[in-house]
Amino acid sequence: MEAKPASFKPSGPLTGRITVPGDKSISHRSLILSVLAIGKSQISGLLEGEDVLATAAALRAMGAKIEKKGSSWTVHGVGVGGLMQPETAIDLGNSGTSVRLLMGLVASHDISVTFTGDASLSKRPMGRVIDPLSSMGADFTARMSSDGKACLPLTVRGLCPAVPIEYRLPVASAQVKSAILLAGLNAPGVTRVIEPVPTRDHSETMLKGFGANLTVETDRDGNRIISLTGEAELSPQKIKVPGDPSSAAFPVVAALLVPGSDIVVENVGINPTRAGLFTVLQQMGGDISFKKKRTVGGEPVADIHVKHSKLTGIDVQADIAPSMIDEFPILFIAAALAEGTTTTSGLHELRVKESDRLSQMATGLSLLGVDVTEKEDGLVITGSGGPIPGGKKKTAIKTALDHRIAMSFAVAGLITKTGVAIDDMSPTETSFPGFADLLATLQGSAK
Ligand code: S3P
């Protein structure tokens, strides 16, 4: 795709009420589970970003019928085990969630599928999914990276039915958990995933909603034990996808940082396994309140009211990281403007996201004159307590095919003295189509 350079300038107050696109995690799962149900499911609020569209295209290539009319999506489910052999390799673009969840899905079907991706996705580690799915009987051939990691392109040959397993997650990853549960849907007996550290629980909530026999218990040591009975029959659903808290994070932080701002982001998911950023920002002094709290499709949802606030640096505890794993890039921007030092730790996972987010953020912040130290597992940032100083005007921040790096530095542009130039905003299409227009709406300068 063609690069889209852009620059973001210091901004006047952000005001108004907005909505953000549908939750990416719930959107992927809505399509996949609807395909596995028997009959017709209806999805509204689906994120129509490149990542989710890649999942839809992959499911179609495996025989599913998925239609869009207006903003409503209809999925004609084929039932658990009902997917068919695709004719060609499947390209999942930038989307780690697509590839890891679909590997789980294919693992318990009698088909063989080759997955490819863009330069970013092709660098990301797949061993974490290959290991448990191999124990369930699937067979993998993957490219090995120069440092010995299994990466895309890879081919998975499923086993139908698969072998149920009990698996303790060695990394806190909802993608790995979900891949195992999806494979377990077509395995005789109980598949069990043990989570020492809780991660986003949309798969569990939605599997139950679709009628799967799934239980969650917490043992004496605090491990979450998820047990799923396989050879499941799922019934079709009507799903309303809430706004994505990981997308809301950008306007929320922008409003906190730009003086005079006062905004409401409507209809945002505030599932506790996702809402860590809002808690941390409140601890930093952010004026964030949740209005009209309600439950939609089993997920807690609210309208988020945010007013400009003076922020203070804090020590972010490592145990909150899984509930805000995608939000550290934008938290680092807030830290760059807060008064005092913000420290983060336990963030090794950030090095294997769409980019190495610790390195990309440290490099970009240094370019803007921010006091930042990169540690192996986190950043230490001492904020300016006022606008970010800004660097040489012509040096554009590199986004490295990472949507969240692009949006974080776009927000930084609004409160950096010299503005911020960005080499490529096109990655924002993966999760937040219309991001720059929405910012312009809040600035009152929409075309
Ligand atoms: C996701 C899980 C997280 C997150 C990603 C979406 C999901 O990844 O970073 O954006 O939908 O399950 P990990 O499972 O690798 O932590």
Side-chain angles (χ1 to χ4, degrees):
M1 187 190 280
E2 207 182 307
K4 278 198 196 142
S7 52
F8 293 84
K9 299 193 182 69
S11 173
L14 306 178
T15 54
R17 300 180 77 88
I18 54 167
T19 55
V20 292
D23 189 282
K24 184 155 76 69
S25 295
I26 296 177
S27 294
H28 285 295
R29 288 157 173 81
S30 298
L31 289 171
I32 293 173
L33 293 179
S34 296
V35 161
L36 294 179
I38 298 173
K40 202 162 82 175
S41 289
Q42 215 96 39
I43 311 169
S44 63
L46 190 86
L47 166 63
E48 296 179 7
E50 286 168 2
D51 280 11
V52 174
L53 297 180
T55 289
L59 293 168
R60 284 183 179 127
M62 291 188 271
K65 195 169 152 207
I66 302 174
E67 298 164 321
K68 181 188 174 213
K69 268 207 191 104
S71 60
S72 169
W73 289 70
T74 304
V75 179
H76 302 265
V78 295
V80 169
L83 291 173
M84 289 182 328
Q85 176 66 42
E87 283 174 10
T88 56
I90 294 180
D91 181 358
L92 295 170
N94 190 256
S95 181
T97 309
S98 304
V99 73
R100 294 194 177 123
L101 266 52
L102 292 174
M103 281 164 73
L105 190 66
V106 171
S108 58
H109 278 77
D110 189 16
I111 56 177
S112 166
V113 181
T114 299
F115 293 115
T116 63
D118 71 4
S120 153
L121 186 57
S122 301
K123 280 191 224 150
R124 299 183 66 184
M126 295 299 148
R128 56 181 61 195
V129 198
I130 293 176
D131 289 349
L133 296 178
S134 298
S135 316
M136 298 181 83
D139 186 53
F140 292 86
T141 322
R143 180 183 70 84
M144 295 309 274
S145 67
S146 53
D147 55 347
K149 280 190 266 161
C151 291
L152 298 191
L154 68 72
T155 302
V156 47
R157 167 169 289 286
L159 178 69
C160 176
V163 180
I165 57 167
E166 177 171 308
Y167 192 75
R168 187 182 167 90
L169 290 180
V171 275
S173 167
Q175 292 176 353
V176 178
K177 167 175 67 178
S178 305
I180 298 167
L181 293 175
L182 286 169
L185 280 174
N186 203 21
V190 177
T191 293
R192 201 162 274 133
V193 182
I194 302 168
E195 261 196 331
V197 180
T199 64
R200 64 192 68 195
D201 60 1
H202 308 302
S203 294
E204 295 92 304
T205 305
M206 293 180 74
L207 277 163
K208 276 194 234 164
F210 273 83
N213 180 354
L214 180 143
T215 58
V216 182
E217 292 155 287
T218 306
D219 73 9
R220 271 188 303 193
D221 302 320
N223 298 299
R224 278 182 88 235
I225 302 166
I226 304 142
S227 307
L228 171 75
T229 305
E231 302 192 310
E233 220 174 84
L234 304 185
S235 38
Q237 300 296 309
K238 273 204 165 86
I239 303 169
K240 271 193 191 166
V241 181
D244 196 328
S246 299
S247 295
F250 299 101
V252 164
V253 171
L256 284 177
L257 300 186
V258 176
S261 298
D262 186 338
I263 70 165
V264 175
V265 189
E266 294 173 355
N267 189 38
V268 181
I270 53 163
N271 183 316
T273 63
R274 298 286 301 283
L277 174 76
F278 304 132
T279 307
V280 168
L281 291 171
Q282 284 171 329
Q283 289 165 353
M284 293 172 81
D287 186 344
I288 300 177
S289 48
F290 300 94
K291 311 282 184 206
K292 293 200 209 153
K293 285 192 186 173
R294 56 219 186 249
T295 303
V296 180
E299 290 284 342
V301 168
D303 298 343
I304 306 183
H305 184 192
V306 191
K307 290 188 204 161
H308 166 66
S309 312
K310 216 166 163 33
L311 301 183
T312 312
I314 57 163
D315 188 6
V316 181
Q317 298 301 307
D319 59 3
I320 203 169
S323 67
M324 56 177 291
I325 197 67
D326 292 334
E327 281 64 76
F328 280 95
I330 190 63
L331 174 73
F332 295 147
I333 302 298
L337 190 130
E339 179 129 30
T341 300
T342 296
T343 56
T344 55
S345 56
L347 303 181
H348 298 98
E349 274 297 297
L350 260 59
R351 297 205 179 273
V352 291
K353 293 293 180 187
E354 285 81 332
S355 69
D356 177 341
R357 288 182 172 161
L358 292 180
S359 157
Q360 288 301 127
M361 289 303 299
T363 307
L365 287 169
S366 300
L367 264 180
L368 299 182
V370 174
D371 177 353
V372 51
T373 307
E374 181 179 347
K375 300 180 300 166
E376 188 43 41
D377 67 338
L379 299 187
V380 178
I381 296 171
T382 301
S384 60
I388 295 174
K392 288 198 195 97
K393 267 200 174 152
K394 291 222 169 78
T395 326
I397 302 284
K398 287 196 173 52
T399 53
L401 293 178
D402 189 332
H403 53 140
R404 300 201 203 282
I405 300 291
M407 292 186 277
S408 297
F409 281 105
V411 169
L414 308 182
I415 33 92
T416 298
K417 284 182 192 156
T418 52
V420 170
I422 295 177
D423 70 342
D424 185 11
M425 286 301 287
S426 67
T428 60
E429 294 298 319
T430 61
S431 69
F432 201 152
F435 166 75
D437 291 342
L438 204 65
L439 269 193
T441 307
L442 289 173
Q443 291 172 310
S445 56
K447 284 165 242 151

